[in-house]
Amino acid sequence: MNPLPKREVPGPKSRALLELSRTVEPPCAVDQVPVVWDHAERVWVTDVDGNRYIDFTSGVLVTNVGHTHPGLVQAIQKQASRLMNCYSFPTPERVTAASRLVKTFPPNLDKVFFLSTGSEATEAALRVARRYTGKQEIVAFYGAFHGRTYGAMGVSGIQGVRRQFGVPVPGGIMAPYAYCYRCFYGRTYPECEFFCLKTLDRIIGSSSSDDLGAVIVEPYQGTAGFVFPPEGWLTELAKWARQRSLLLIVDEVQSSFGRTGKMYAIEWEGVRAQMLCLGKGLGSGVACSALAGESKVFECMSPGELSSTWGGNPVSSAAALAVLDVMEKEKLAENALKVGEVLKSRFMEMKKKYRCLGDVRGRGLVMGLELVDPKDGYTPSPELIGRLIQRCAENGLLLGKVGIYGNVIRIAPPLVITQEEALTGADIIEAGLKSI
Ligand SMILES: Cc1ncc(COP(=O)(O)O)c(C=O)c1O
């Protein structure tokens, strides 16, 4: 039962602001369902017309501790009234946040450098990797997204990131990811025995100029459509990299801070990376990202060589500390796992009923619902997505979309969501699926 009243989307105040937006902002600034946010608390968003919505987006997997968490808000306010920026001069907040964060890492990662955005963290990882290994090439994957800057673009495998933007930073060698629902090789798991990994040496053999130093990978591919590789795939990839003395960089900008039900997604298989890129949930609303790494790797960088105007600023550092406090006190990773399991089984039931729901995948509170043409049950259907998102908004649920083909609903609520709220959201989705 959906307890939320049906509403007009966009409402009159939203329409006026969207009209103003069109006159002063470029079209690329608007890519969501037309809801103009006013304020939010926990998992509830209120728009400028006074309509309330359950948020299944967390912005874009950012507000892990929930919108305007009082612990986070107080920490930011207190810090803002004392000191906001001092560039790279150390502060108690930065040093304490670093020491607290390092304790959450797998044991081999013992250093962390703060930056502001996810792209900055992946760019930094690429620079450190080149310096440390002395090599320019890096294996990356079809469907990968590591940011919109030119270095990140060179290791991204999404058309929308590259289209008509010219030549990215060279050195990226692209290989197929384990997108088993749409296998690049047309194979089936587990019979394939990770065939895609077996092809890596051939791909390198034909594309590399013998200057390969590293691998960069997402533990699940976010932008490609919340694509989760089968269990063991990441472990095998890490083994392959280790056997060839390649540095392994795992991009956990979106998969970290409890999102999958563990602090870091690599913990699920105990994978060892030499660098970890972090962002989004780390500040849970405040711009804050970080590059984690092994001491010996970071030693190749001289003082000042990674600096960034906002990196490690006192307000972001205070925010990161508050986020770590909240995560621990409220056991958010555990909640993500518990609520995520219930939600996923609800979606699996829907998959049996609705032919347009081609695939349901995910872990913790990050799931992808892949919409397909009901006629054949497989052809990607971006048309249905637009209609579903609009219907759900009218019924009080905010959703986002991702996917190589733009046909995947992203389910990623703040990790503080209760089972009841999550299931209300699922009811709204089911009503939407019935009506599209
Ligand atoms: C895996 C991954 N890496 C990097 C980024 C880039 O982060 P940002 O948008 O903060 O630069 C994103 C953003 O969605 C991401 O999902």
Side-chain angles (χ1 to χ4, degrees), residues 252-282:
E252 288 234 31
V253 165
Q254 73 157 255
S255 57
S256 45
F257 302 103
R259 185 48 66 185
T260 67
K262 298 258 190 212
M263 190 68 169
Y264 303 105
I266 50 167
E267 287 173 39
W268 282 105
E269 295 187 20
V271 165
R272 283 214 158 191
Q274 281 74 54
M275 282 192 273
L276 212 55
C277 307
L278 306 170
K280 296 192 189 270
L282 175 57

Side-chain angles (χ1 to χ4, degrees), residues 60 117-120 122 145-148 218 222-223 251-254 280:
V60 57
T117 66
S119 308
E120 240 191 327
T122 54
F145 181 72
H146 299 293
R148 292 193 186 272
E218 294 160 88
T223 307
D251 180 352
E252 288 234 31
V253 165
Q254 73 157 255
K280 296 192 189 270

